[in-house]
């Protein structure tokens, strides 16, 4: 962890800027660009003020970077990006992806994504990632030159492997079920929070109505006027604080959403393992078939019904020379198949070892992060309730003085 990029440079996504330009189809579009700033940590520790390097990136470039990391490091739980469009928001907040509040939350999410990658023991050493942070021009061309798109597995092939693999690894099957459950639980939690936020908003607005009524009432009272006016003021201040509170709540919701999207990253690792297991089983099956064919040619017996067997019966047996030539070809294919199977077995074991090490790292990170987020959320709720009690305590004192 001492070699992580996050220990060497300070990374921030400092601001977002709305821009207008032309897309690949030469049509005008509006998009948001994000300013990434990096600064060397070493010079700061030495008391020197190191220069800040900065460049602008679009959200689509962050997506390209993550897709590259997914394909290049299939055994790693790659950190997710923040949502492109708002989801699980309470109805008073805008779901528009150009809304300033949403753009600000996404800026924070993109910075968090970069910090996650920079602190990962493997991903932080990737040259493409480092170029993403430091090289504005020609970065896309550099990524495309890696040919990572050609290495990407097709969805159809992945789906085929899911249903046809015969001996799935129990650990990865359980992990896939866990990721489904994690996604389901967090989705439900976010929906509940959105409903609670709506009700909370209503409660605060009721206090705003109390404030208005008390203020209007104070205008027609002489002896009670000052007390009602003061109570109304406390109610107004309390009601006005709801917008800041719910904006802070959205910050905690975004922390939960990160792990909602992490569930898909876990499934991506599981799918890759299924593909590798499927390829291994297909290679073993092909090797067994070739060995059987070789044995049948050598002994002259056919164990199972085959088109070749029927052909030999109809048109006569092959000459010894023809049989020897076919056996020689099959033996070469068998030798090649055995080497390929050995290589796939070794590759599979390495994948499982690397993947499981990263999954354990992810679980430790997840437990820490969610614990902190939920405790902070609970502290915020307690603080909010204390403010409510204080408002009514102050109102009670105002009423007592009337």
């Amino acid at each position: 962890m001492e070699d992580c990029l996050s220990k060497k440079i300070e990374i921030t996504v400092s601001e977002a800027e709305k821009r207008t330009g032309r897309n690949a189809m030469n049509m005008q579009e509006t998009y948001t660009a994000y300013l990434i700033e990096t600064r060397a940590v070493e010079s700061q520790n030495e008391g020197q003020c190191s220069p800040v390097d900065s460049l602008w990136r679009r959200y689509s470039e962050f997506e390209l970077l993550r897709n590259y990391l997914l394909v290049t490091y299939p055994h790693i739980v790659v950190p997710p990006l923040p949502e492109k469009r708002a989801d699980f928001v309470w109805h008073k907040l805008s779901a528009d992806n150009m809304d300033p509040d949403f753009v600000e939350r996404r800026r924070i999410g993109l910075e968090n994504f970069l910090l996650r990658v920079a602190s990962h023991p493997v991903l932080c050493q990737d040259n493409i990632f480092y170029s993403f942070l430091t090289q504005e021009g020609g970065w896309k061309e550099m990524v495309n030159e890696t040919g990572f798109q050609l290495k990407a597995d097709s969805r159809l092939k992945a789906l085929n492997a899911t249903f046809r693999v015969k001996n799935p690894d129990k650990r990865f099957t359980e992990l896939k079920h866990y990721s489904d459950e994690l996604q389901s639980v967090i989705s439900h939690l976010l929906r509940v929070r959105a409903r609670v936020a709506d009700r909370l908003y209503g409660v605060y607005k009721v206090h705003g109505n109390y404030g208005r009524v008390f203020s209007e009432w104070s205008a027609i009272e002489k002896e009670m006027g000052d007390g009602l006016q003061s109570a109304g003021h406390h109610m107004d201040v309390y009601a006005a604080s709801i917008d800041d509170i719910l904006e802070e709540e959205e910050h905690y919701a975004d922390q939960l959403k990160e792990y909602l999207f992490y569930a898909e990253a876990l499934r991506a690792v599981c799918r890759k393992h299924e593909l590798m297991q499927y390829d291994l089983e297909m290679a073993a099956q092909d090797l067994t078939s070739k060995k059987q064919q070789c044995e049948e040619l050598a002994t002259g017996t056919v164990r199972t019904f085959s088109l070749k067997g029927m052909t030999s019966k109809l048109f006569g047996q092959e000459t010894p020379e023809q049989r020897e030539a076919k056996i020689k070809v099959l033996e070469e294919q068998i030798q090649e198949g055995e080497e390929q199977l050995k290589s796939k077995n070794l590759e599979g074991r390495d994948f499982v070892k690397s993947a499981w090490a990263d999954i354990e790292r992810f679980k430790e990170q997840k437990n820490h992060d969610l614990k902190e987020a939920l405790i902070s959320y609970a502290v915020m709720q307690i603080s909010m309730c204390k403010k409510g009690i204080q408002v009514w305590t102050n109102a009670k004192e105002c009423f007592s003085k009337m």
Side-chain angles (χ1 to χ4, degrees):
M1 291 299 289
E2 291 299 321
D3 295 329
C4 285
L5 195 61
S6 60
K7 301 287 185 182
K8 298 175 182 177
I9 63 172
E10 183 183 289
I11 304 169
T12 56
V13 179
S14 57
E15 63 178 279
E17 182 178 280
K18 188 176 179 180
R19 294 183 177 181
T20 303
R22 295 198 172 272
N23 59 20
M25 311 231 359
N26 203 32
M27 296 177 66
Q28 190 166 335
E29 64 172 346
T30 301
Y31 61 91
T32 305
Y34 299 89
L35 182 65
I36 301 172
E37 295 185 336
T38 54
R39 187 200 301 266
V41 172
E42 292 176 4
S43 57
Q44 291 184 58
N45 293 337
E46 294 168 3
Q48 299 176 1
C49 185
S50 60
V52 176
D53 293 322
S54 62
L55 50 79
W56 293 90
R57 295 284 185 209
R58 294 182 60 173
Y59 185 88
S60 58
E61 291 177 287
F62 282 87
E63 286 182 311
L64 181 61
L65 171 64
R66 187 171 186 273
N67 288 337
Y68 160 80
L69 294 174
L70 279 170
V71 173
T72 310
Y73 304 96
H75 59 283
I76 284 175
V77 185
V78 178
L81 290 170
E83 57 195 348
K84 195 165 187 176
R85 285 175 175 77
D87 199 5
F88 297 108
V89 295
W90 65 290
H91 75 273
K92 298 292 181 185
L93 285 183
S94 172
D96 179 13
N97 64 337
M98 288 294 175
D99 177 72
D101 291 334
F102 172 72
V103 170
E104 173 60 17
R105 292 199 307 277
R106 189 162 68 177
R107 180 196 65 76
I108 294 169
L110 291 173
E111 180 176 292
N112 184 59
F113 165 74
L114 293 179
L115 293 174
R116 292 277 196 208
V117 177
S119 60
H120 192 282
V122 176
L123 299 180
C124 72
Q125 299 177 41
D126 187 89
N127 289 331
I128 295 294
F129 172 61
Y130 184 74
S131 299
F132 178 86
L133 298 173
T134 58
Q135 183 178 328
E136 188 160 15
W139 179 80
K140 282 186 181 179
E141 291 74 17
M142 189 186 299
V143 181
N144 292 327
E145 282 172 8
T146 64
F148 80 93
Q149 294 97 333
L150 300 174
K151 302 175 192 173
D153 300 307
S154 71
R155 291 187 179 184
L156 184 62
K157 186 179 178 183
L159 189 65
N160 189 42
T162 300
F163 289 106
R164 295 187 64 181
V165 68
K166 294 176 182 176
N167 299 303
D169 189 310
K170 187 179 178 183
R171 290 173 299 175
F172 284 91
T173 303
E174 289 175 352
L175 181 65
K176 191 158 67 168
H177 291 156
Y178 168 76
S179 66
D180 291 339
E181 285 295 319
L182 179 66
Q183 189 173 41
S184 175
V185 167
I186 293 181
S187 296
H188 184 63
L189 187 59
L190 287 166
R191 282 193 291 268
V192 170
R193 190 209 70 87
R195 289 201 300 270
V196 169
D198 280 334
R199 294 179 67 180
L200 193 64
Y201 184 82
V203 169
Y204 272 69
K205 288 309 171 187
V206 165
H207 283 76
N209 291 336
Y210 276 132
R212 179 176 54 81
V213 170
F214 287 148
S215 295
E216 290 174 355
W217 191 5
S218 68
I220 61 171
E221 296 287 350
K222 291 182 179 179
E223 295 179 3
M224 296 168 55
D226 290 343
L228 290 170
Q229 184 70 38
S230 297
H233 172 72
H234 289 303
M235 297 293 171
D236 287 337
V237 171
Y238 185 61
S241 67
I242 184 60
D243 294 323
D244 291 337
I245 289 169
L246 290 179
E247 188 59 41
E248 188 180 350
E249 270 205 13
E250 285 302 314
H251 169 68
Y252 296 118
D254 287 339
Q255 289 178 306
L256 290 176
K257 285 179 185 179
E258 183 186 16
Y259 282 92
L260 179 72
F261 305 140
Y262 255 124
E264 178 55 33
L266 284 173
R267 283 197 291 270
V269 176
C270 294
R271 282 196 298 269
K272 183 62 182 179
H273 180 263
E274 285 175 343
L275 272 169
M276 295 180 74
Q277 181 65 23
Y278 179 66
D279 286 342
L280 178 67
E281 290 177 4
M282 290 297 101
Q285 186 177 316
D286 185 56
L287 182 61
T288 302
S289 175
K290 282 184 169 58
K291 284 182 177 179
Q292 185 177 325
Q293 289 176 44
C294 191
E295 186 182 341
E296 288 173 356
L297 283 168
T299 60
T301 58
V302 180
R303 291 184 182 180
T304 57
F305 172 80
S306 67
L307 186 60
K308 288 183 178 179
M310 288 296 294
T311 304
S312 62
K313 285 183 179 180
L314 290 170
F315 301 105
Q317 295 289 337
E318 295 169 316
T319 63
E321 291 80 9
Q322 289 175 320
R323 192 180 301 116
E324 285 296 323
K326 284 191 173 183
I327 289 173
K328 187 177 179 181
V329 171
L330 280 169
E331 284 176 343
E332 290 175 357
Q333 290 177 347
I334 287 168
Q335 185 179 355
E336 185 182 327
E338 285 176 339
E339 290 175 1
Q340 190 179 27
L341 189 64
K342 184 180 177 181
S343 174
K344 285 185 180 293
N345 264 313
L346 186 61
E347 186 184 356
R349 284 197 293 270
D350 288 344
F351 178 89
V352 170
K353 183 181 177 181
S354 301
W356 216 251
D358 197 62
I359 286 163
E360 290 300 321
R361 178 204 59 79
F362 163 77
K363 286 180 177 177
E364 188 177 332
Q365 170 198 299
K366 178 212 66 178
N367 292 344
H368 174 269
D369 290 350
L370 290 181
K371 177 184 175 181
E372 290 293 317
L374 292 171
I375 288 174
S376 298
Y377 182 72
V379 169
M380 190 197 80
Q381 295 292 334
I382 292 168
S383 173
M384 211 163 54
C385 292
K386 284 181 177 178
K387 286 179 182 176
I389 292 170
Q390 188 61 49
V391 163
W392 282 102
T393 302
N394 292 338
K396 180 184 174 184
E397 289 178 2
C398 293
F399 297 149
S400 299
K401 293 175 181 176
M402 289 192 303

